[in-house]
Amino acid sequence: MPAPLPPLSLSLQFARFDDVAEHRAALPRHKVTRWIRHALDGDVLQAEITVRIVDAEEGQTLNRDYRQKDYATNVLTFDYSSAPVVMADLVLCAPVVAREAAELGKPLAEHYAHLLVHGTLHAQGWDHETGEEEAEAMEAEEIAILAGLGLANPYAQP
């Protein structure tokens, strides 16, 4: 019998932007909670995570100010503490996520699920930018988590 999933305190926030309703519809609270909880490692006893969906301007500002990369990216993770209590902010840039989902031919909600799993792994110390081995391990973990959620491999070529 698998271990029970850890409790999650979730704050789900949406900035004001033109097509926010489409993004709200793709991110019902119960699904966001499920996706994040499934991405938490076995040594996590509880998590406090804020998910904020932003426009391109806010996404670019945060990426520039905190990562010194002057463009909007799909997901930014700000991790404050790790296991046994994970505390983090996940910031997802709605226009970038929507564009990527369209380019990949995926439903918006499915792409959000992948990016929330990805960001949650970053909040626990996973890092795909430190080397090829770490990138492959993180990718494999994402694929396994998403499969457990009934979602396809996000890295498979169509």
Side-chain angles (χ1 to χ4, degrees):
M1 182 170 166
L5 296 173
L8 169 65
S9 173
L10 174 67
S11 175
L12 182 56
Q13 304 172 1
F14 293 85
R16 291 190 180 128
F17 52 91
D18 289 342
D19 53 352
V20 70
E22 175 187 5
H23 295 270
R24 282 184 187 276
L27 292 163
R29 183 179 198 77
H30 70 281
K31 285 189 178 181
V32 173
T33 299
R34 182 172 182 257
W35 298 332
I36 291 173
R37 287 181 73 208
H38 276 81
L40 294 169
D41 292 337
D43 55 347
V44 174
L45 299 179
Q46 73 180 72
E48 295 178 25
I49 296 180
T50 296
V51 173
R52 181 165 171 78
I53 310 304
V54 301
D55 63 8
E57 183 181 349
E58 186 174 345
Q60 181 174 353
T61 298
L62 289 168
N63 201 28
R64 182 189 64 233
D65 292 354
Y66 291 95
R67 295 181 65 227
Q68 291 70 55
K69 296 183 180 187
D70 196 15
Y71 58 88
T73 189
N74 52 17
V75 61
L76 291 168
T77 301
F78 299 91
D79 55 323
Y80 308 112
S81 71
S82 56
V85 178
V86 171
M87 296 176 70
D89 293 336
L90 305 179
V91 179
L92 293 97
C93 184
V96 174
V97 176
R99 185 190 76 239
E100 290 175 349
E103 289 170 355
L104 295 167
K106 293 182 169 189
L108 184 59
E110 189 174 315
H111 194 45
Y112 268 121
H114 174 215
L115 294 173
L116 286 166
V117 166
H118 183 88
T120 301
L121 290 178
H122 273 305
Q124 297 169 94
W126 291 80
D127 191 349
H128 55 85
E129 295 181 353
T130 56
E132 188 64 30
E133 190 174 317
E134 290 82 1
E136 289 174 6
M138 186 170 177
E139 187 175 300
E141 185 70 8
E142 290 172 23
I143 292 166
I145 291 165
L146 291 166
L149 291 164
L151 299 171
N153 176 348
Y155 298 103
Q157 298 301 317

